[in-house]
Amino acid sequence: MTDDKDVLRDVWFGRIPTCFTLYQDEITEREAEPYYLLLPRVSYLTLVTDKVKKHFQKVMRQEDISEIWFEYEGTPLKWHYPIGLLFDLLASSSALPWNIIVHFKSFPEKDLLHCPSKDAVEAHFMSCVKEADALKHKSQVINEMQKKDHKQLWMGLQNDRFDQFWAINRKLMEYPAEENGFRYIPFRIYQTTTERPFIQKLFRPVAADGQLHTLGDLLKEVCPSALAPEDGEKKNQVMIHGIEPMLETPLQWLSEHLSYPDNFLHISIIPQPTD
């Protein structure tokens, strides 16, 4: 991959100032003060909320505590979506800090998967990494790695260690010199305006004539509703990691530099108010 380490570092260390508040109907023995955290965009809620859990459990009785879950403005937050994706999709136009409500009861079975432990997060994460490598390299890179390499990827993410993670992840971002990119780009496009969780299709980074495909090319083919019908300009905000990339940006470069640790480009389509 092209060596653009500053971009990788900036993406990794992106943070969202967040205020956690206990849901008003939770039973407490004394007043629960809000809890503030800088959330890493690239991580998952259930990896970084141990302090939040401890903070609120201190004011509650043990019998009033069951599985913790979070919501923002009435929407339960999916723990298996990266934090940055959740924010971009649901709260990117809101003032900071991001106000998240904490619940310890009435788990929304229809909306959320249970997360019994960090092992569940690891299994989900590694499943995504393997799926992404199947698209990029027919699984050859991930299958050639040893178990300890897989564990290093996970521990790098869990412990917020950029160098530890990228020492292994850079192998997943390489491709043969004679090719201009990956076999297919691992991407998922999310919209709040549809019931469908996300759009995911096979899409090559390079066109038949050798030209590099751009973000605009991808949207035009798989999610044309994100673009204005006549001139192809954006009629919605298109966000990755809180950034609005130009439509002319090559997809291969985005995949190498703006993918989340699970190796997917998570693209949020945010409707803009009409005049």
Side-chain angles (χ1 to χ4, degrees):
M1 66 181 288
T2 55
D3 192 14
D4 226 332
K5 207 166 184 184
D6 285 346
V7 176
L8 301 178
R9 200 173 279 279
D10 287 347
V11 165
W12 182 274
F13 289 106
R15 298 289 187 266
I16 302 167
T18 306
C19 172
F20 289 90
T21 308
L22 191 64
Y23 183 55
Q24 60 189 20
D25 288 357
E26 296 284 348
I27 300 165
T28 60
E29 297 188 310
R30 60 183 189 276
E31 189 181 349
E33 296 288 331
Y35 191 81
Y36 293 85
L37 262 187
L38 281 174
L39 293 181
R41 276 185 153 272
V42 297
S43 193
Y44 298 91
L45 277 171
T46 38
L47 282 192
V48 294
T49 49
D50 281 350
K51 290 177 181 174
V52 175
K53 197 173 178 179
K54 283 177 189 159
H55 172 78
F56 289 115
Q57 284 181 347
K58 278 189 272 186
V59 301
M60 300 176 73
R61 295 177 309 182
Q62 198 59 41
E63 60 265 32
D64 294 323
I65 296 168
S66 55
E67 188 172 349
I68 191 171
W69 60 279
F70 305 97
E71 57 123 322
Y72 172 70
E73 293 192 344
T75 301
L77 298 176
K78 294 178 166 66
W79 64 262
H80 60 290
Y81 281 14
I83 290 168
L85 166 64
L86 288 169
F87 180 79
D88 290 349
L89 200 57
L90 302 171
S92 54
S93 59
S94 308
L96 293 171
W98 187 16
N99 288 301
I100 291 179
I101 305 297
V102 180
H103 294 261
F104 284 99
K105 60 185 180 192
S106 305
F107 190 90
E109 305 278 351
K110 289 182 181 175
D111 299 305
L112 295 183
L113 300 172
H114 286 281
C115 185
S117 68
K118 287 182 180 173
D119 290 345
V121 192
E122 180 180 4
H124 168 74
F125 169 72
M126 285 311 303
S127 170
C128 290
V129 172
K130 288 172 182 175
E131 183 181 347
D133 195 56
L135 292 166
K136 290 195 282 191
H137 309 110
K138 297 184 181 175
S139 301
Q140 287 167 353
V141 178
I142 197 81
N143 287 346
E144 283 170 10
M145 288 181 181
Q146 296 178 12
K147 265 228 167 75
K148 67 180 178 66
D149 298 325
H150 293 186
K151 187 54 82 172
Q152 184 172 329
L153 270 180
W154 168 245
M155 294 307 291
L157 174 63
Q158 180 175 286
N159 299 327
D160 196 21
R161 299 280 169 80
F162 173 83
D163 291 325
Q164 182 182 11
F165 177 83
W166 272 99
I168 302 299
N169 198 58
R170 63 178 179 78
K171 299 171 188 172
L172 293 163
M173 292 296 174
E174 291 168 352
Y175 51 86
E178 65 274 11
E179 295 174 22
N180 283 333
F182 304 137
R183 191 162 146 263
Y184 296 106
I185 297 288
F187 73 90
R188 289 173 180 167
I189 296 175
Y190 303 79
Q191 299 165 284
T192 53
T193 53
T194 140
E195 290 297 307
R196 191 175 177 182
F198 50 76
I199 298 169
Q200 181 179 341
K201 294 182 180 177
L202 295 177
F203 194 85
R204 294 188 185 275
V206 184
D209 61 3
Q211 290 290 309
L212 287 176
H213 275 142
T214 65
L215 176 60
D217 295 330
L218 173 72
L219 294 174
K220 204 174 289 183
E221 179 160 328
V222 305
C223 189
S225 61
L227 302 169
E230 290 176 12
D231 52 15
E233 290 181 2
K234 287 182 274 192
K235 69 171 181 181
N236 297 295
Q237 262 187 317
V238 179
M239 297 189 92
I240 310 170
H241 285 295
I243 300 159
E244 279 193 82
M246 293 189 298
L247 292 177
E248 301 78 28
T249 311
L251 211 48
Q252 178 64 36
W253 188 91
L254 287 173
S255 189
E256 290 176 44
H257 296 90
L258 261 63
S259 286
Y260 276 80
D262 64 5
N263 278 244
F264 272 85
L265 270 178
H266 293 287
I267 305 168
S268 300
I269 309 295
I270 299 133
Q272 294 305 288
T274 49
D275 297 332

